[in-house]
Amino acid sequence: MPGTAYVIGTFDTKAEELRYVADLLRDAGVRAVTIDVSTKTPADDADFSAEAVAAFHPQGADAVLKAGDRGVAVTAMSAALTNFIASRNDLGGTIGLGGSGGTAIIAPAMRALPIGVPKLMVSTLAAGDVGPYVGIHDIAMMFPVTDIAGLNRLSRTILANAAHALAGMMLRQPPVVKDTKPALGISMFGVTTPCVQQLTAKLGKDYECQVFHANGPGGRALEALALAGMLQGMVDLTTTEAADHLLGGVCTAGPERFDAVAKAGIPWVGSCGALDMVNFWAPDTIPAKYKARLFHIHNANVTLMRTTAEELEQIAAWISAKLNASKGPIRLLLPEKGVSALDAAGQKFHDPSANAALFKAFERHFAKSAAHQLVRVPHHINDAPFVEAVEKHVREIVPIP
């Protein structure tokens, strides 16, 4: 059996819908239990009552059910649910139904589950920005179209689709593959794609290459997997998220970017891919202080700004301090002929003097040792000789069983 489906929601407002979803899962051959996370009027017909869930709060059930303030109660119930879910040994998948409050309660508990465990959230917020709820986790969000406020011809169809989607995920397990190759996490952007494509072609026979888009969530996911012990090496060729973090761009991975390198002590081979740019949305979203800068319109919704020598010096110092803290092997490769497709001879962002400042700053701030090597490569990041240099260093510090 695939384990038990946990059907989660506030029974004081959505009991009918929750029971409907649970029944459909049972009809599909999946064992299902209902979980009440109400904070106002707990029900008594769920398989696990709100009182039972609230008891998992570190300060006891009263911290949830007698909180008084709804916002405090919602936050407290979410903490209790997270602990409750972690205590279960039969969980095979989760489905949640909720509006803003229910989603705020359920999503954090889903995020605490391991990657690969089926997680589906039917939420009235799913047509908007779901980043705060999904984070870097594999939560599927479904928009119910109508509010979750009773069963009707439309809601029955959508909730049935949700129930059957979870049943499919639980009943149809991924094909079993014996994983023997070391897993590498590789960062990529559109402007470093040729580099990464060449590299994965070279390494794919001996390594499992997992590519992450360096757009903020991608960098966070890459490092989360490293901290979880799911990667044997990081090939962080596209470190552009550092520029966005320090200069206010929209593709930041936050101040913790690169911390996983030191915390995990994982072998790291990296470069300065796409540090020539900061990412913004449409031109009218660009901060006024940058209006006179050099830009490239990537598309109608994405605008790229060329970084200056002074900014690159700041970025190099920040990255170096992070890498210096690692006790693991580090190889930082500097592509002297350009760091992105836009930073090549004849391209809009080609600026050898700015890049020279970047490389000199790395020379100044990166603490070199036998374990931590700084390597200048006289080629563009997307050129074959640079890729060959990356391959050489990966093979040197990430062993093959």
Side-chain angles (χ1 to χ4, degrees), residues 8-247:
I8 310 170
T10 52
F11 263 70
D12 58 350
T13 60
K14 296 171 176 58
E16 185 181 23
E17 297 94 318
L18 291 160
R19 287 193 292 265
Y20 176 72
V21 167
D23 287 343
L24 287 172
L25 284 163
R26 295 173 187 130
D27 289 345
V30 176
R31 182 173 185 270
V33 294
T34 52
I35 317 297
D36 183 17
V37 290
S38 305
T39 59
K40 289 184 178 180
T41 311
D44 59 5
D45 59 343
D47 294 309
F48 292 91
S49 68
E51 289 89 347
V53 176
F56 279 80
H57 191 278
Q59 298 173 11
D62 285 354
V64 180
L65 301 177
K66 295 184 179 180
D69 180 81
R70 182 174 184 272
V72 172
V74 164
T75 301
M77 181 59 90
S78 182
L81 177 64
T82 299
N83 292 336
F84 170 78
I85 290 295
S87 74
R88 309 305 300 171
N89 58 15
D90 64 341
L91 187 146
T94 58
I95 183 168
L97 312 183
S100 59
T103 306
I105 291 171
I106 300 166
M110 289 183 171
R111 294 198 300 270
L113 290 169
I115 291 173
V117 174
K119 315 166 187 71
L120 197 159
M121 185 71 217
V122 183
S123 171
T124 56
L125 302 177
D129 178 8
V130 300
Y133 304 100
V134 174
I136 56 171
H137 303 273
D138 55 337
I139 300 174
M141 300 283 287
M142 178 179 284
F143 185 54
V145 183
T146 63
D147 201 349
I148 306 174
L151 293 176
N152 54 60
R153 68 183 68 180
L154 180 57
S155 66
R156 284 191 185 92
T157 299
I158 293 170
L159 293 176
N161 286 342
H164 295 149
L166 182 67
M169 286 188 274
M170 293 180 64
L171 293 171
R172 291 288 187 179
Q173 298 296 309
V176 176
V177 177
K178 187 176 181 181
D179 297 317
T180 58
K181 300 177 183 178
L184 299 177
I186 307 175
S187 57
M188 184 178 81
F189 226 33
V191 291
T192 59
T193 296
C195 172
V196 173
Q197 287 181 329
Q198 293 175 72
L199 183 66
T200 56
K202 289 178 173 292
L203 294 176
K205 179 180 178 181
D206 300 311
Y207 298 89
E208 181 181 89
C209 297
Q210 302 177 13
V211 179
F212 297 81
H213 196 61
N215 60 352
R220 294 197 299 273
L222 166 63
E223 300 209 336
L225 292 183
L227 288 172
M230 298 175 69
L231 298 176
Q232 283 66 61
M234 295 174 66
V235 187
D236 206 352
L237 298 174
T238 311
T239 47
T240 186
E241 289 155 322
D244 281 57
H245 167 63
L246 294 172
L247 301 176

